[in-house]
Amino acid sequence: MNKGKKFGEYFKSLRLHLGLTLRDFCLQNGFDPGNVSKLERGVFLPPQDDQKIRVYARALGLREGSAEWIEFFDRAAAEGGRLPEDIRNDSSVIQRLPAFFRTLRDKKLSEDDLERLIEKIKRS
């Protein structure tokens, strides 16, 4: 449904799924419509503060711990050039990341190869 969308596009699709205009969404949640518009259009990067992302996720009706919740946080982290909080706090994963990054750089994976790698990791 939302594969390949950037954070702002994903945010907007979730809002629209609620059937809310930008103005109504912002009025109901006390957000500045100009800032949310810029976020949805990619003018603003996703918030760096996980607490602010939580506020947005709850306003969008995402259930904490759900696949959509995790996807929302993962997209925010990736677009902001950060690792998701749960990965940042897992030292065993952090220790393996340099080797993973080197592999990605050295292999210059095609889009299909990257998809296969992702599927292989999911099955692990």
Side-chain angles (χ1 to χ4, degrees):
M1 172 181 143
N2 292 302
K3 187 176 178 179
K5 286 188 176 181
K6 292 190 171 203
F7 177 81
E9 294 169 319
Y10 187 58
F11 188 113
K12 183 176 182 177
S13 71
L14 293 169
R15 176 181 57 76
L16 292 174
H17 185 71
L18 294 174
L20 294 172
T21 66
L22 176 66
R23 184 159 306 283
D24 288 341
F25 175 74
C26 291
L27 282 172
Q28 288 180 14
N29 294 287
F31 300 142
D32 178 275
N35 288 341
V36 172
S37 174
K38 288 175 183 166
L39 183 63
E40 288 184 349
R41 291 181 290 126
V43 175
F44 285 171
L45 285 175
Q48 295 294 302
D49 177 25
D50 285 338
Q51 186 56 39
K52 183 64 176 179
I53 299 169
R54 272 186 194 86
V55 169
Y56 283 139
R58 288 184 184 118
L60 290 164
L62 303 182
R63 196 181 80 251
E64 192 162 347
S66 68
E68 293 83 10
W69 178 277
I70 293 167
E71 178 85 6
F72 193 71
F73 276 78
D74 286 351
R75 286 176 187 269
E79 198 164 321
R82 302 178 301 121
L83 293 172
E85 183 179 22
D86 57 328
I87 292 175
R88 286 193 312 257
N89 295 330
D90 187 335
S91 62
S92 66
V93 171
I94 295 296
Q95 291 171 350
R96 291 178 175 93
L97 284 176
F100 180 71
F101 295 151
R102 279 193 307 278
T103 301
L104 287 177
R105 276 189 204 97
D106 292 344
K107 298 292 180 189
K108 303 287 188 233
L109 300 177
S110 70
E111 189 69 30
D112 288 341
D113 289 339
L114 188 54
E115 285 298 321
R116 282 194 289 279
L117 176 60
I118 290 168
E119 287 305 314
K120 191 177 235 183
I121 290 170
K122 285 180 181 178
R123 288 191 301 268
S124 300

